[in-house]
Amino acid sequence: MARTLLSLLLCVLLSTATLAAPAASGSAAAAGPSTVEAARTSSVKAASTSAAALGSVSSAQATGSSTADAAGTSSVEATGSSTIEATGSATAEAAGASTVEADAPRETVPLASDNPNDILWLPDTNIIPEPIRGSLGANILGPQNIEIDRQNADLLAPPTTDSGSVQNAKWPFGLSHNRLQTGGWARQQNQDVMPIANSMAGVNMRLEPGAIRELHWHKTAELFLQWAYMLSGSAQVTAVDADGRNFIGNVRQGDLWYFPPGIPHSIQATNETGEGTEFLLVFDDGAFSEDSTFLLTDWLAHVPKEVIAKNFQTSISAFDHIPAQQLYIFPNPPPENQAAPKSPQGTIPNPFIFQLSQVKATQLSGGTVKIIDSTTFTAATAISASEITVEPGAMRELHWHPTQDEWTFYISGQGRLTLFASSGNARTFDYEAGDVGFVPASFGHFVENTGNTTLHFLEIFNSGRVQDISLSQWLALTPPDLVKAHLQLSDDTLKKLTKFETKQIVVGPESSSSSDS
């Protein structure tokens, strides 16, 4: 038994001596003469204790387990003494080297990097794009679609703040299949081409002067927006509701209209400018397909003529010329002073059109905003929108929408957006005119103007009200000490947050007279 204890004790002493020696010498080199002396004292004490322990073990052969217990106690004391002295030395060294303020918070994670993460090129560049950012990446040796890479700088060479995985949130209408008709065309975006957009879809449509998007209805609510993509032109829309009340109205560039689910309606290009019209349609269902609408001609082509005649209480011959298949879009002379028949039930009380082009935009430090929701456009109870402009160097501020998905359409300019999806997942996308974006509810994001011209886009929501949470306003209205504990901001920076107590929406670049904090 005594030999076993002796063997175990020798192993412990050898291990302790091996670990203590380099630690003592390393501390001595870093801390100076006082620490060297402390290390020497610790080594002498440890050696003395080791000798005493060996003596105790030898005695244990004669006296039994009680002496072995004493040896164990001596060993613990020796180890404890050495540890205490080493710890004390390390603490003193840290205290002497510290230069931070006494009340500064202790870092628990590394600080965020200051490495530049600006966009590396714009779509109109002449360079050959390469997936290289700083020391990261390498050039392309294989085939390359240069034009696509020029349009997506932050996908080819993403900022180092991007991380993890986020679904694709960009779809150019230029990649959509186009349905060509006599009198116009239509192309769409839905979740088939952008799966992340599961709550909304869009259609871009063009009608020549007089051309008609035929009488039809949808299963989902519909919002028609006419903005900068209708470079010139106008249209006339008609509708009849379930109570037999009718509606007719004219819209021009920058105006919009809305039809509730199931309400039959039509769209016809007028000839105010000689160019007809082009417009954007947004639907509150990501699975929507423009090819699956309920069309007047399609329905009657699939009803026996005897039934049609009976329904309208006339002869079969009255319907000898109805089309055998759907028309969808077809040419027609432009309407001239066309009026809706007078309905015994009256007209629809809340107009289905809204002349947003006549609304004055709210001027902001870095751009403008127009907000359209059910408080201003009372008929549009299911979809709302913001029309935003961002000047060069400015940005749509960091924010998120608490309960609403955002379907975005870019009208002009160039910009980039980073989606923060929580749990360390973030991805940056670049947009230009004709692109569709999508931001799921609660995802943090911003939109930065990366070009040299005004960035103009629409934010469209599947809700009757526009709502967002501004990061700057949130922090400005939170107790400063709580913000400081999180972000370690200086008192001067915390004072500057007070200007964000009112939501900014679009913020301009910091003035040259301001200083960094």
Side-chain angles (χ1 to χ4, degrees):
M1 180 68 178
R3 290 179 179 176
T4 301
L5 289 172
L6 178 59
S7 298
L8 290 172
L9 185 56
L10 286 173
C11 290
V12 171
L13 290 173
L14 288 172
S15 299
T16 303
T18 301
L19 293 171
S25 62
S27 299
S34 61
T35 310
V36 171
E37 185 61 32
R40 289 175 178 169
T41 302
S42 178
S43 299
V44 171
K45 289 184 178 180
S48 300
T49 306
S50 300
L54 285 171
S56 298
V57 172
S58 299
S59 301
Q61 295 177 349
T63 59
S65 61
S66 61
T67 309
D69 290 340
T73 302
S74 177
S75 175
V76 169
E77 290 176 353
T79 304
S81 173
S82 177
T83 303
I84 291 170
E85 291 189 27
T87 303
S89 175
T91 304
E93 179 186 357
S98 176
T99 58
V100 297
E101 297 178 3
D103 61 346
R106 181 174 297 176
E107 295 174 15
T108 57
V109 297
L111 298 181
S113 171
D114 288 335
N115 289 339
N117 276 305
D118 292 329
I119 190 169
L120 296 181
W121 61 82
L122 295 176
D124 57 359
T125 182
N126 292 322
I127 70 169
I128 304 300
E130 297 286 5
I132 298 173
R133 183 178 285 275
S135 62
L136 303 176
N139 65 333
I140 295 174
L141 298 180
Q144 181 180 10
N145 189 325
I146 294 174
E147 291 305 319
I148 292 294
D149 287 340
R150 284 174 174 166
Q151 295 171 24
N152 297 281
D154 286 309
L155 289 182
L156 189 67
T160 58
T161 46
D162 279 12
S163 178
S165 178
V166 178
Q167 284 182 288
N168 176 53
K170 172 183 177 177
W171 182 259
F173 265 127
L175 292 180
S176 294
H177 177 267
N178 210 348
R179 180 175 178 177
L180 304 182
Q181 300 280 141
T182 303
W185 50 258
R187 52 189 179 179
Q188 67 182 358
Q189 168 278 318
N190 56 25
Q191 66 183 24
D192 289 345
V193 296
M194 190 164 65
I196 193 174
N198 55 14
S199 60
M200 285 182 277
V203 173
N204 178 208
M205 187 174 291
R206 169 83 164 95
L207 299 176
E208 293 182 334
I212 297 172
R213 168 66 169 95
E214 76 161 288
L215 289 159
H216 64 286
W217 71 96
H218 304 282
K219 291 185 294 184
T220 54
E222 176 179 351
L223 175 65
F224 289 2
L225 296 153
Q226 295 185 337
W227 300 111
Y229 267 92
M230 189 178 70
L231 299 176
S232 63
S234 59
Q236 186 174 88
V237 298
T238 68
V240 175
D241 70 8
D243 295 322
R245 299 173 297 187
N246 59 0
F247 175 82
I248 187 169
N250 292 325
V251 284
R252 297 172 178 84
Q253 181 176 345
D255 293 339
L256 57 89
W257 68 86
Y258 171 91
F259 295 119
I263 296 296
H265 55 278
S266 67
I267 311 157
Q268 183 175 15
T270 58
N271 196 28
E272 292 185 10
T273 64
E275 294 187 5
T277 185
E278 183 176 341
F279 48 88
L280 176 72
L281 302 92
V282 179
F283 302 87
D284 63 346
D285 186 347
F288 171 83
S289 173
E290 176 66 9
D291 298 327
S292 299
T293 54
F294 293 89
L295 306 177
L296 170 64
T297 56
D298 189 28
W299 187 18
L300 293 185
H302 294 87
V303 175
K305 282 191 177 180
E306 294 83 357
V307 173
I308 298 174
K310 184 181 294 185
N311 182 82
F312 290 102
Q313 297 182 349
T314 186
S315 65
I316 291 178
S317 62
F319 296 92
D320 282 347
H321 301 290
I322 63 173
Q325 59 188 32
Q326 63 177 254
L327 294 177
Y328 185 65
I329 291 174
F330 60 97
N332 200 68
E336 294 183 7
N337 301 318
Q338 183 170 257
K342 185 175 181 179
S343 170
Q345 293 73 230
T347 58
I348 291 173
N350 293 323
F352 286 146
I353 65 170
F354 185 76
Q355 294 179 329
L356 185 62
S357 62
Q358 305 302 311
V359 175
K360 184 178 180 180
T362 300
Q363 186 65 48
L364 306 168
S365 67
T368 65
V369 64
K370 293 182 182 181
I371 295 178
I372 318 100
D373 59 22
S374 57
T375 64
T376 54
F377 187 14
T378 55
T381 57
I383 295 183
S384 56
S386 296
E387 180 188 6
I388 302 219
T389 66
V390 181
E391 296 304 318
M395 63 179 284
R396 171 74 166 95
E397 66 174 336
L398 287 157
H399 67 285
W400 72 93
H401 306 285
T403 60
Q404 306 165 313
D405 293 336
E406 173 189 325
W407 191 93
T408 317
F409 183 71
Y410 292 85
I411 298 169
S412 64
Q414 299 165 342
R416 71 170 177 170
L417 174 151
T418 295
L419 286 182
F420 169 64
S422 82
S423 306
N425 295 302
R427 185 155 298 177
T428 303
F429 301 91
D430 302 302
Y431 299 94
E432 56 185 308
D435 289 344
V436 175
F438 190 82
V439 181
S442 298
F443 277 36
H445 59 288
F446 64 89
V447 183
E448 180 185 15
N449 186 336
T450 55
N452 300 314
T453 61
T454 300
L455 176 64
H456 184 193
F457 61 94
L458 307 175
E459 299 175 345
I460 302 169
F461 309 96
N462 55 350
S463 167
R465 297 293 299 271
V466 175
Q467 295 180 330
D468 67 43
I469 304 292
S470 159
L471 173 63
S472 300
Q473 187 181 48
W474 176 36
L475 297 184
L477 298 176
T478 296
D481 287 344
L482 188 57
V483 177
K484 187 173 185 178
H486 283 77
L487 302 179
Q488 303 185 35
L489 302 179
S490 68
D491 290 338
D492 184 53
T493 301
L494 288 171
K495 290 179 182 178
K496 290 182 178 181
L497 288 180
T498 57
K499 69 180 179 181
F500 297 108
E501 290 175 351
T502 300
K503 190 178 296 183
Q504 302 294 298
I505 304 179
V506 179
V507 293
E510 187 177 19
S511 63
S512 56
S513 61
S514 301
S515 59
D516 294 335
S517 300

